[in-house]
Amino acid sequence: MTGAASPRNSRGEAMNEIAPFDTRIDPSVLAARLSDERAPDIVEKLNEEAPEVAAAILLGLPLERAVEVLDQPELDCAADIIEMLPRDRVAAYLSGMSADRVTDVFREIEEPGRSDLRARLDAETRGAVDRLSAYGEETVGSLMTTEFVTIPGTWTVGQTLEHIRHVEKTRETIYAIFVLDPRTRALTKAVPLRRLISGDPNDNVLSVAPGRRPLAVSPTASREEAARLISKYDLLALPVVDAVGHVIGIVTVDDMIDAMIEKQTQDVQRFGGMEALPEPYMDIGFFTMIRKRAGWLCALFLSEMLTASAMQGFEGELEKAIVLTLFIPLIMSSGGNSGSQATSLLIRALALHQIRLRDWWRVALRELPTGIVLGSILGVIAVIRIVAWQKLGLYDYGEHWPLVAVTVGSALVGIVTFGSLSGSMLPFLLQRIGFDPATASAPFVATLVDVTGLVIYFSVALLILRGTLL
């Protein structure tokens, strides 16, 4: 009987499955089994082990392979692993890693361990880490790497290619080469490696450079801005320049992808009505999980208490027309759903710079008729449902059932319209006052619309049913 085909990667190459670890095996044996595997596969297996076991396995790997593994952002508990390694080996590992990755690891190490490890770095790496540490975590500066290729504009194509051969092992990427003014050292051109390879070795490097001015970004710019430029212009690397045009780092597309995945993960968690988790789900401690979730949950619960207050305000109407209570869940969920839809759309549009803060009035003019139409669709469905149940004898809504149907249908128009409008405006408000629009999570919007939805519902009921049921 023929076995199943081996899994293949995106290029159609066969992928080897790594057998599960037996924790009784000596770490040096495990290291020998992993030494020929790809770094991401090794990381995946190390993430399944305790930090002390992962550290022992790293010690058994060749130096270059261990550095490659530690350089992977997907390695969980990298700081804990590094702190368990012998100090003489740590210095070699850290010096071989990219400066931006070392900076990320240092942020997770507490004092005095951080200062001790910093002192063991070579002067070049220590200086790069100090510079990167000075930038905020959400800025381009904290994401950039200082290992890139620059050359003076007086070099030939041949000189440039020879230089790349000598430095390629110590650079994050060689696919983009940045040409500097020989006098001011300011960035003048960015040359793709493909153009260098196809150029005449005796020609000046500027002869193969694109005629347009190179794109660049400030170290204090947001990561979203860098991601937008990389995506829009299909860049492999984006130079980061200071106020006078000196290249102080680059942001590579792979680092940006990792950062955006992390950011999107945090946003998705906030959408669910909780604080973002700093670590993978299974690595979060019980009490940390409680702390991350309890705050927002309590805030939403207290907000929902306003729903009870709103219902208490219409207690008399509810006693006279019990039939109205049957549609409260329908009313509340419809408004919350429409608000959540609008919020999700606007948060993403703001993040992708498809709209700006100044476009709030255009969004409002768009969401107002959208809400009316959506509410009308739901209102018609609700009326049909009430009529059908009444005519088929499935439920008796009383002698004034036509007015009840009109009340529910009209209320849905108002509630869905309000939900769409408030859900679309809340992200603008939060961004305007300096908060992350992702905090306008669906549960928060739903809570807001729940309370106002009840007020709209009973106000419409008072207007239509006055003199009959009310």
Side-chain angles (χ1 to χ4, degrees):
M1 182 176 177
T2 304
S6 299
R8 296 178 177 273
N9 61 18
S10 59
R11 296 185 299 273
E13 301 169 341
M15 297 173 59
N16 295 324
E17 293 287 341
I18 303 176
F21 285 171
D22 184 343
T23 54
R24 295 170 296 180
I25 299 178
D26 186 272
S28 61
V29 176
L30 299 178
R33 289 173 53 186
L34 290 174
S35 59
D36 293 329
E37 299 294 340
R38 297 179 178 88
D41 294 330
I42 299 176
V43 167
E44 185 177 314
K45 291 305 177 183
L46 293 185
N47 286 341
E48 299 174 0
E49 299 297 320
E52 59 270 17
V53 177
I57 294 173
L58 275 178
L59 288 172
L61 294 174
L63 176 61
E64 287 189 6
R65 179 50 57 88
V67 169
E68 188 180 1
V69 170
L70 288 170
D71 239 346
Q72 301 294 313
E74 295 79 15
L75 180 62
D76 300 335
C77 304
D80 295 333
I81 294 172
I82 285 177
E83 288 193 283
M84 292 179 179
L85 295 170
R87 286 296 185 256
D88 58 332
R89 296 291 293 274
V90 169
Y93 290 152
L94 294 177
S95 296
M97 293 166 59
S98 59
D100 55 326
R101 177 60 176 156
V102 176
T103 305
D104 290 338
V105 172
F106 269 35
R107 286 194 174 104
E108 300 177 15
I109 298 177
E110 302 291 338
E111 294 290 4
R114 182 190 305 167
S115 297
D116 178 56
L117 290 175
R118 179 183 174 280
R120 295 175 183 273
L121 297 174
D122 60 84
E124 182 180 356
T125 303
R126 184 165 57 248
V129 170
D130 289 344
R131 289 193 297 272
L132 294 178
S133 299
Y135 297 106
E137 288 193 33
E138 296 302 318
T139 63
V140 170
S142 67
L143 186 64
M144 70 181 183
T145 181
T146 55
E147 291 103 8
F148 53 91
V149 181
T150 59
I151 58 166
T154 54
W155 280 16
T156 64
V157 171
Q159 286 178 298
T160 303
L161 290 173
E162 185 63 26
H163 176 67
I164 292 173
R165 294 189 188 98
H166 281 91
V167 303
E168 66 91 11
K169 288 187 177 181
T170 61
R171 297 300 186 262
E172 179 86 3
T173 180
I174 60 169
Y175 297 111
I177 295 87
F178 303 103
V179 183
L180 309 182
D181 185 291
R183 182 176 59 84
T184 64
R185 304 288 295 173
L187 176 66
T188 58
K189 296 291 181 181
V191 184
L193 180 61
R194 182 175 59 184
R195 288 205 174 197
L196 281 173
I197 294 174
S198 60
D200 188 322
N202 297 317
D203 288 346
N204 183 274
V205 69
L206 293 176
S207 66
V208 296
R212 57 187 176 273
R213 186 177 182 83
L215 294 167
V217 69
S218 164
T220 57
S222 67
R223 293 183 176 186
E224 287 78 6
E225 175 63 15
R228 186 185 67 82
L229 291 174
I230 289 175
S231 174
K232 181 177 181 180
Y233 297 102
D234 294 327
L235 303 176
L236 294 175
L238 178 66
V240 183
V241 299
D242 60 16
V244 293
H246 294 159
V247 183
I248 59 176
I250 62 170
V251 178
T252 58
V253 65
D254 56 331
D255 287 342
M256 182 55 66
I257 289 173
D258 292 333
M260 289 299 100
I261 289 175
E262 179 183 355
K263 181 67 166 60
Q264 289 173 0
T265 299
Q266 294 174 350
D267 287 346
V268 168
Q269 291 167 348
R270 292 192 182 104
F271 287 159
M274 61 176 290
E275 293 183 44
L277 299 180
E279 299 175 26
Y281 176 83
M282 294 304 294
D283 295 336
I284 296 292
F286 176 77
F287 291 105
T288 301
M289 181 68 76
I290 296 297
R291 179 171 54 83
K292 291 291 185 180
R293 297 170 65 172
W296 264 103
L297 201 58
C298 291
L300 293 172
F301 179 73
L302 292 173
S303 299
E304 286 287 3
M305 286 184 176
L306 295 175
T307 304
S309 299
M311 294 184 68
Q312 289 170 5
F314 294 97
E315 184 178 3
E317 286 72 17
L318 286 173
E319 290 177 352
K320 297 176 184 177
I322 298 297
V323 69
L324 294 178
T325 62
L326 299 175
F327 301 98
I328 288 177
L330 174 71
I331 293 293
M332 293 172 63
S333 62
S334 298
N337 290 341
S338 65
S340 298
Q341 281 184 341
T343 297
S344 300
L345 289 171
L346 267 298
I347 288 175
R348 194 60 182 161
L350 284 169
L352 296 177
H353 296 274
Q354 296 171 348
I355 55 175
R356 300 291 192 274
L357 278 176
R358 63 176 179 269
D359 297 322
W360 68 268
W361 64 274
R362 295 174 58 194
V363 173
L365 290 178
R366 184 183 181 89
E367 285 297 320
L368 184 60
T370 299
I372 293 173
V373 173
L374 292 174
S376 299
I377 293 172
L378 297 184
V380 169
I381 294 173
V383 170
I384 292 174
R385 192 266 192 195
I386 293 173
V387 172
W389 258 240
Q390 183 72 31
K391 294 297 184 180
L392 294 173
L394 298 177
Y395 191 87
D396 184 8
Y397 294 103
E399 61 176 316
H400 300 292
W401 66 266
L403 293 179
V404 172
V406 173
T407 298
V408 174
S410 302
L412 279 170
V413 175
I415 291 167
V416 172
T417 302
F418 177 80
S420 298
L421 198 57
S422 60
S424 63
M425 292 296 102
L426 192 56
F428 285 105
L429 175 62
L430 290 173
Q431 183 163 317
R432 181 65 183 85
I433 61 180
F435 286 96
D436 186 349
T439 56
S441 59
F444 183 78
V445 174
T447 302
L448 172 66
V449 178
D450 283 350
V451 178
T452 53
L454 283 174
V455 175
I456 294 173
Y457 179 41
F458 288 115
S459 299
V460 172
L462 282 173
L463 182 64
I464 295 177
L465 299 175
R466 186 182 299 276
T468 55
L469 289 178
L470 300 179

